[in-house]
Amino acid sequence: MSNNINENHPNNNNNNQEQVEEAEDLTFEQIGLDPRLIRALTKKNILNPTPIQQTGIPLILEGKDVVARAKTGSGKTFAYLLPLLQKLLLLDNNNNNGNNNVGPSAMILVPSRELCQQVYSEVLSLIELCRVQLKVVQLTGEPSFSEMAAALAGPPDILVSTPACVQRCLSSGVLKAKAIQDSLSILILDEADLLFTYGYEKNLKDLKAHIPKRCQCLLMSATSSDDVESLKKLYLHNPYILTLPDSDGKDDIVPNTVEQFWIQCSERDKLLHILALLKLDLVQKKVLVFTNTIDTSFRLKLFLEQFGIKSAVLNAELPVNSRLHILEGFNAGLFDYLIATDDSEMKEKEQTDGDKQAEKKRSKRRKKRKLDSEFGVVRGIDFKNVYTVINFDMPLSGAGYVHRIGRTGRAFNKGQSVSIVSPEEMEVFEEIKLFLGENEETELTCIDPFPHLEKNAVEFLRYRAEDVARSVTKIAVKEARAQDLRNEILNSDKNNNKSGRGHKARSKKAGDPLKTFSADAKGQKRKGKDFGPKQKKKQQV
Ligand SMILES: Nc1ncnc2c1ncn2[C@@H]1O[C@H](COP(=O)(O)OP(=O)(O)OP(=O)(O)O)[C@@H](O)[C@H]1O
């Protein structure tokens, strides 16, 4: 039977809301965090724990299995990374001769390469700021035998990877089942609600056999689902279930710092409306726009370009290091508009439809362009300082909507979203509203009509916009897409060549996403070094 935090945790009251309110006043010191970690956080200007950190960290430090469901941007990553590092620091202190393990002490499994890179960078940065001797490696994609062997030699204290990649290490014999049995003390399944969706169900079921009983397991998720339930049953023993409501007591799933708006217009007028939003500065920057297909993102990019609005596109067909460059550039504030294609739900839908025709077409397309099955642009990616999220195309489900909107209003920040809804999308829009308001009747009106868009302003732009829209033909889109891909592959090759020795070179400058490649296998043992700030390059959009 599952433990509920309210019944079991020593500091607990009998309901979640009181638990959160009480926890709101706690500091990192009060929740028992190591001073080295607190100093590292201070250098990052992170001064007070978020609610999930206040409740989760003490439980994890106590050694409990925990399921943490907290909304997007609530700080789940530090909620598990901080206690994990503290435990490893303690092990390190108790074991002066260094790590005697034959395998990793901790594994963090995530659904996508981007998340792998993001979590890896966070761990590395904390380790650097603490100036301690812990080794972290990341493995994604399809690394070669020697890359896997190099990454796991040592062995690392923390392995950040995807379930498929760990499976690959196991089946190639680079990682021995016995090494996991003997060494693994913490396993973290991050973005747990996505692990099955991204196709890792079999990998995770197979891996379970190798996880020692004593291993502490943590499951982090933004939404609850049957998949999270299955994973919980598979991996966790008698876990604490943390479900954190807002400080105002509402258990809604979009942060209450995010204002949600919508605009209704015909499919054809969507370009016109987004132009008005951006050109007339009706929405605050930075802006992340979501489309459902790559072609739509290029159409939008080309269209906006004609009005002097420069944007970058992000999608699954770009080489992984191009994607990381784009993310890095956007996060560093080098450009304000990013058009991301979130086609994960389209893929799911296609799969469940089982439509043979679609399957035929899809495999034809795949022959031409290989999409990255480990790509995840929406879920869990920490886009920095996004104020506005625009759904140019609507997502296909409530959970998809929540994950998209969750790219703004992160941590204690404010944000807004604008969904541009065509009549064809009204059905899914109604479903989304129901999903958001399933707990309370009043929540059904949580998405308001966008207040700042005057009819006159739209009409003023219409003539020119329609003209430009006509000039963005299918051929122009196709060419732009192909050209962009060629450029990115070239840049990607150049970067690989510049760094010369692939991940060997990277291990000297690990953590710099501008030097990260598709089969990432890197790690480093750092002893008492003074680590300078990460090097940044200018990103050309
Ligand atoms: N205590 C804190 N104070 C201020 N900022 C924080 C704190 N903890 C985390 N953050 C920042 O908040 C942002 C969101 O954190 P994080 O990525 O862990 O959210 P999340 O809950 O995992 O979201 P998602 O479900 O979308 O993955 C990050 O930029 C992180 O650095």
Side-chain angles (χ1 to χ4, degrees):
M1 198 185 77
S2 295
N3 284 332
N4 184 298
I5 179 168
N6 302 311
E7 294 159 13
N8 296 287
H9 192 259
N11 299 326
N12 274 340
N13 298 312
N14 283 331
N15 81 38
N16 272 337
Q17 189 186 339
E18 284 175 31
Q19 167 66 27
V20 175
E21 278 171 4
E22 188 190 340
E24 261 168 16
D25 297 320
L26 297 177
T27 61
F28 281 120
E29 284 90 350
Q30 285 169 317
I31 58 173
L33 206 62
D34 187 290
R36 286 169 288 184
L37 288 165
I38 298 178
R39 275 198 300 276
L41 289 171
T42 309
K43 285 182 198 155
K44 287 171 162 287
N45 204 23
I46 291 186
L47 307 175
N48 294 302
T50 62
I52 188 68
Q53 293 161 1
Q54 290 174 46
T55 46
I57 290 174
L59 287 169
I60 298 171
L61 285 174
E62 275 179 43
K64 308 282 192 242
D65 279 8
V66 173
V67 177
R69 186 181 79 81
K71 58 188 68 177
T72 53
S74 56
K76 292 188 287 298
T77 315
F78 282 152
Y80 70 77
L81 279 188
L82 295 169
L84 165 66
L85 286 175
Q86 179 149 335
K87 284 174 163 235
L88 293 176
L89 290 180
L90 204 70
L91 273 179
D92 213 41
N93 284 351
N94 295 342
N95 189 355
N96 291 330
N97 299 328
N99 183 351
N100 292 328
N101 281 340
V102 285
S105 307
M107 272 201 296
I108 303 173
L109 300 184
V110 295
S112 71
R113 290 170 197 244
E114 282 72 13
L115 273 167
C116 214
Q117 172 64 34
Q118 184 173 299
V119 171
Y120 171 79
S121 301
E122 286 287 14
V123 188
L124 197 63
S125 138
L126 284 171
I127 290 175
E128 287 179 0
L129 289 168
C130 288
R131 301 189 184 183
V132 289
Q133 303 172 25
L134 289 174
K135 180 179 171 185
V136 53
V137 297
Q138 68 161 322
L139 269 174
T140 56
E142 295 179 358
S144 66
F145 187 89
S146 57
E147 282 170 328
M148 290 188 284
L152 294 175
D157 296 288
I158 306 172
L159 170 63
V160 189
S161 190
T162 60
C165 208
V166 171
Q167 184 78 51
R168 196 178 166 91
C169 295
L170 275 164
S171 49
S172 65
V174 174
L175 182 60
K176 299 269 186 287
K178 175 136 185 7
I180 298 187
Q181 282 281 344
D182 291 347
S183 307
L184 194 72
S185 50
I186 305 191
L187 173 71
I188 296 141
L189 305 175
D190 197 2
E191 303 292 337
D193 46 344
L194 299 176
L195 286 166
F196 281 5
T197 318
Y198 273 62
Y200 298 119
E201 183 167 354
K202 179 155 186 341
N203 300 132
L204 284 163
K205 285 185 173 157
D206 291 350
L207 180 65
K208 169 67 181 104
H210 306 302
I211 305 299
K213 279 224 165 68
R214 55 157 210 292
C215 179
Q216 182 182 13
C217 293
L218 312 174
L219 216 147
M220 319 303 287
S221 163
T223 56
S224 46
S225 68
D226 290 348
D227 293 350
V228 175
E229 217 25 52
S230 309
L231 268 174
K232 185 185 92 185
K233 284 193 188 127
L234 191 62
Y235 275 95
L236 278 69
H237 316 285
N238 210 21
Y240 278 81
I241 316 289
L242 286 180
T243 304
L244 291 187
D246 262 338
S247 51
D248 62 6
K250 282 188 199 157
D251 191 15
D252 46 32
I253 33 195
V254 173
N256 59 4
T257 50
V258 178
E259 284 186 287
Q260 301 168 72
F261 299 110
W262 73 295
I263 293 169
Q264 187 176 14
C265 69
S266 68
E267 189 62 42
R268 188 170 152 226
D269 274 357
K270 281 191 171 197
L271 284 174
L272 175 61
H273 279 81
I274 196 167
L275 175 66
L277 292 180
L278 304 188
K279 193 71 191 167
L280 305 176
D281 281 332
L282 299 178
V283 292
Q284 198 170 315
K285 294 170 204 157
K286 295 186 303 193
V287 181
L288 179 60
V289 182
F290 284 113
T291 65
N292 289 349
T293 69
I294 300 176
D295 276 350
T296 307
S297 71
F298 276 96
R299 184 156 179 256
L300 185 54
K301 179 182 154 65
L302 291 178
F303 173 80
L304 293 174
E305 234 166 51
Q306 302 283 324
F307 294 91
I309 301 168
K310 294 249 183 236
S311 59
V313 292
L314 188 63
N315 59 59
E317 77 178 5
L318 295 172
V320 68
N321 52 333
S322 296
R323 298 196 309 253
L324 293 167
H325 278 209
I326 292 165
L327 266 177
E328 177 81 356
F330 188 60
N331 281 346
L334 302 183
F335 51 95
D336 288 327
Y337 303 105
L338 182 62
I339 306 172
T341 300
D342 168 28
D343 55 3
S344 52
E345 289 187 318
M346 302 294 279
K347 280 184 235 157
E348 275 165 45
K349 190 168 180 289
E350 274 180 25
Q351 257 165 30
T352 44
D353 283 353
D355 184 324
K356 281 189 185 155
Q357 276 303 102
E359 178 54 43
K360 255 189 189 170
K361 275 190 197 162
R362 210 168 57 231
S363 46
K364 249 189 184 175
R365 258 186 275 136
R366 279 204 185 123
K367 267 184 203 152
K368 274 201 256 164
R369 286 186 301 272
K370 195 166 176 284
L371 294 186
D372 184 351
S373 60
E374 282 187 359
F375 173 72
V377 70
V378 183
R379 322 275 173 111
I381 296 293
D382 191 28
F383 293 98
K384 302 276 184 206
N385 303 322
V386 169
Y387 192 89
T388 306
V389 169
I390 298 181
N391 283 318
F392 185 77
D393 292 326
M394 288 305 284
L396 303 186
S397 71
Y401 177 89
V402 168
H403 279 286
R404 286 188 186 184
I405 303 307
R407 299 316 100 203
T408 181
R410 296 179 75 71
F412 301 110
N413 293 317
K414 285 189 173 171
Q416 71 174 7
S417 70
V418 185
S419 295
I420 308 180
V421 189
S422 68
E424 296 75 32
E425 291 168 318
M426 275 316 281
E427 200 179 322
V428 77
F429 183 58
E430 290 303 327
E431 277 170 29
I432 289 168
K433 285 204 287 184
L434 269 175
F435 181 84
L436 297 176
E438 60 194 357
N439 296 325
E440 274 185 58
E441 279 291 297
T442 51
E443 290 299 304
L444 290 174
T445 55
C446 61
I447 313 183
D448 297 318
F450 189 70
H452 311 297
L453 194 59
E454 304 278 332
K455 201 161 180 261
N456 284 351
V458 175
E459 290 312 315
F460 167 75
L461 289 171
R462 184 180 292 280
Y463 176 75
R464 175 93 182 101
E466 288 190 346
D467 210 26
V468 170
R470 269 193 299 275
S471 73
V472 185
T473 58
K474 276 190 183 158
I475 294 176
V477 167
K478 207 173 147 194
E479 278 171 4
R481 182 172 169 177
Q483 184 62 46
D484 190 68
L485 189 56
R486 273 198 297 276
N487 290 347
E488 291 300 342
I489 290 171
L490 267 177
N491 285 341
S492 168
D493 288 347
K494 260 191 222 155
N495 280 325
N496 278 331
N497 292 337
K498 248 191 229 164
S499 78
R501 293 156 302 282
H503 58 270
K504 263 191 211 153
R506 280 199 313 282
S507 62
K508 288 197 182 135
K509 260 191 191 290
D512 183 351
L514 296 169
K515 287 189 184 299
T516 305
F517 307 101
S518 53
D520 290 315
K522 52 185 176 181
Q524 68 297 314
K525 194 94 181 169
R526 305 201 172 234
K527 292 190 192 281
K529 280 190 188 164
D530 194 359
F531 301 107
K534 276 185 254 168
Q535 216 179 320
K536 295 239 161 74
K537 276 186 195 170
K538 275 260 169 195
Q539 166 86 26
Q540 209 80 45
V541 180

